[in-house]
Structures are given as structure tokens and as C-alpha cells.
Amino acid sequence: MAEGFGADPERYDRTRPSYPEALVNRIVEARTQFDVVDVGCGTGIASRQFQAVGCTVLGVEPDPRMAEVARRRGLEVEASTFEAWDPSGRTFDAVVSGQTWHWLDAVAAAAKAAQALRPGGQLAVFWNAEIPPPEVLRAFGETYRRLLPDSLVARQWTTNALDGYTMLRRNAADGIRKAGAFGAPQEWRFDWQKSYSRDAWLDQLPTHGDHGQYPVATVEEVQAGIGAAIDAMGGSFTMGYATIGLNAVRTSA
């Protein structure tokens, strides 16, 4: 499933939401000469936000399709899984990961981050969790239960998405503690909203969940059902998001 995100990297880059400026600013804290490794950088969505505030960013990405888009957007990318990546003696001020840390071995990845960080450097991992309004959750959930009843995405639209991401954050915290090279992880949360037109939501829909594992005709039927639901809401809706994160500081030991 993780490999499916690179099936249409241009769509992924165009449609996936970025992260709150407050999150980026909290990590960087207006410091200059700030070197960042973006783990599983994908097409560089988070990387570009750190570049925009003056950071030097190196991406690490195993999917060559995603990495190629990131390079075209101006990001230096090294092709590797993070666990197998070799810092080659380089050290950085921050290791960040947006929407990807749960695909990694939590302990091995935290240990690799410790290897790449200077003492006092930060490991910051974060995810965007969708918090749809009740009418959106109900309408979209009904469509998925009808057309893809056994799918992961159907489960996502019938449960509290924030609970799942809270579990991912808990697993990440356990891995950081087991790595033994960081202070106590701090939990962060940033709430925000994004408005979507019918076309904008349908454009990004195939980049979520396990849509890519189903026949094109089935996904098109899902899109038609979701599109009709959005039309019934007046052609647009506002999605709530909670960006939840975890930050840990590399100790000097």
C-alpha cells in the first residue's frame, strides 16, 4: 500500500494538503543555518515549507517516482529507505517526517535519526488527521460502505480518524524511548480547516487509503457517489484537520 502513493506522484503533489505554518515555525524557531532531513519526503510537500523559511533540506525517499517530482521542485533527494540510509558522517539540526513515520520500523528509524542529529537536534514526526463535519462523515461513509465495504478507506470513514493517528503517535513515542538517545517526547496538536470544491476533493481522492488497489471502474463509481454527496451539500464543504505531532530532542550522551 505504501508503494501505491507513487502511482500518480503529480496528482499527489498537487492535491495533498501541506502542514500548518505554526508547526514549521515551532520546529525551526526562526533559527538560521538550519539543516533538515525530511524522511520519506515524497514529492517534497513538507520539504518546500521548510525551504520557504530558510532551511537547507535533504530528502530521503525510497520511491523513485516520488523522488523525481521532488527533484524537479528543487529538492535534493537521496534514494533510500530511512532505516538503510547512510548519513556518511553528516549531522543535522532536525529530522522531520510528515505522514510517513508509521511506514518505518519505529525503533530502527529513531536510532537512525539519533545518528544523523547533532546533540540538541530535534526529531519531529507529524500527520494530518481529517476531522470531517458530521454530515460529510455520514454521506461519505455511506458511499464507501455501499461500494467498498471491506476496504481500509471504508473503515476510515466510519471511525474517528484522530484515534488512529493518536495510536501512530503512541507507537512512534515508544520507538523513540526504546532508541535511548532522546529526551521525553512532547506531543503537539494544531487544528485548522481547508475548504474543498467538488472537483478539488475528487482530484485528491485516489491518493488516499487503499483506492489504488481497486479497479479503475470501481474507483470511478466511488468518485461519482462522493461527487453526488458533495453536490447535495451545495458543491463544496470544509474539512477539519488536526495535525498531530511528536517532538523529541537528541541528548548529548
Side-chain angles (χ1 to χ4, degrees), residues 104-180:
L104 311 180
D105 179 297
V107 179
K112 181 56 63 78
Q115 180 185 351
L117 284 168
R118 301 174 182 125
Q122 299 173 78
L123 170 59
V125 301
F126 42 89
W127 296 266
N128 283 331
E130 295 167 349
I131 306 179
E135 65 275 14
V136 173
L137 182 64
R138 181 173 56 253
F140 288 12
E142 289 174 354
T143 300
Y144 282 112
R145 284 192 297 271
R146 176 168 54 87
L147 297 173
L148 292 175
D150 299 321
S151 66
L152 171 63
V153 71
R155 294 196 298 274
Q156 290 172 334
W157 282 97
T158 54
T159 59
N160 185 338
L162 193 57
D163 290 343
Y165 284 104
T166 300
M167 182 182 68
L168 297 183
R169 183 171 62 184
R170 185 181 306 119
N171 291 341
D174 288 343
I176 289 170
R177 283 188 284 266
K178 289 176 181 177

Side-chain angles (χ1 to χ4, degrees), residues 17 50 74 76-77 88 110 212 238:
F50 284 94
E76 181 183 354
V77 183
S88 300
T238 299

Side-chain angles (χ1 to χ4, degrees), residues 6-58:
D8 190 347
E10 293 285 356
R11 181 196 293 268
Y12 188 97
D13 190 68
R14 180 178 67 247
T15 63
R16 278 299 188 104
S18 56
Y19 301 93
E21 290 183 8
L23 169 70
V24 175
N25 293 336
R26 189 164 181 179
I27 294 169
V28 178
E29 295 181 334
R31 287 171 285 187
T32 58
Q33 306 283 324
F34 201 72
D35 298 324
V36 177
V37 174
D38 186 1
V39 177
C41 66
T43 61
I45 293 172
S47 297
R48 294 195 295 272
Q49 290 187 259
F50 284 94
Q51 288 177 321
V53 297
C55 298
T56 300
V57 183
L58 172 66

Side-chain angles (χ1 to χ4, degrees), residues 150-233:
D150 299 321
S151 66
L152 171 63
V153 71
R155 294 196 298 274
Q156 290 172 334
W157 282 97
T158 54
T159 59
N160 185 338
L162 193 57
D163 290 343
Y165 284 104
T166 300
M167 182 182 68
L168 297 183
R169 183 171 62 184
R170 185 181 306 119
N171 291 341
D174 288 343
I176 289 170
R177 283 188 284 266
K178 289 176 181 177
F182 294 90
Q186 295 183 329
E187 296 183 353
W188 293 349
R189 174 170 171 167
F190 302 86
D191 293 290
W192 54 287
Q193 296 180 327
K194 181 178 174 63
S195 295
Y196 287 94
S197 67
R198 178 187 191 275
D199 289 346
W201 184 260
L202 295 184
D203 192 21
Q204 60 80 49
L205 182 147
T207 72
H208 283 269
D210 52 354
H211 288 92
Q213 299 181 24
Y214 294 93
V216 172
T218 301
V219 176
E220 289 177 346
E221 193 174 1
V222 170
Q223 287 180 300
I226 296 295
I230 299 173
D231 287 340
M233 300 173 199

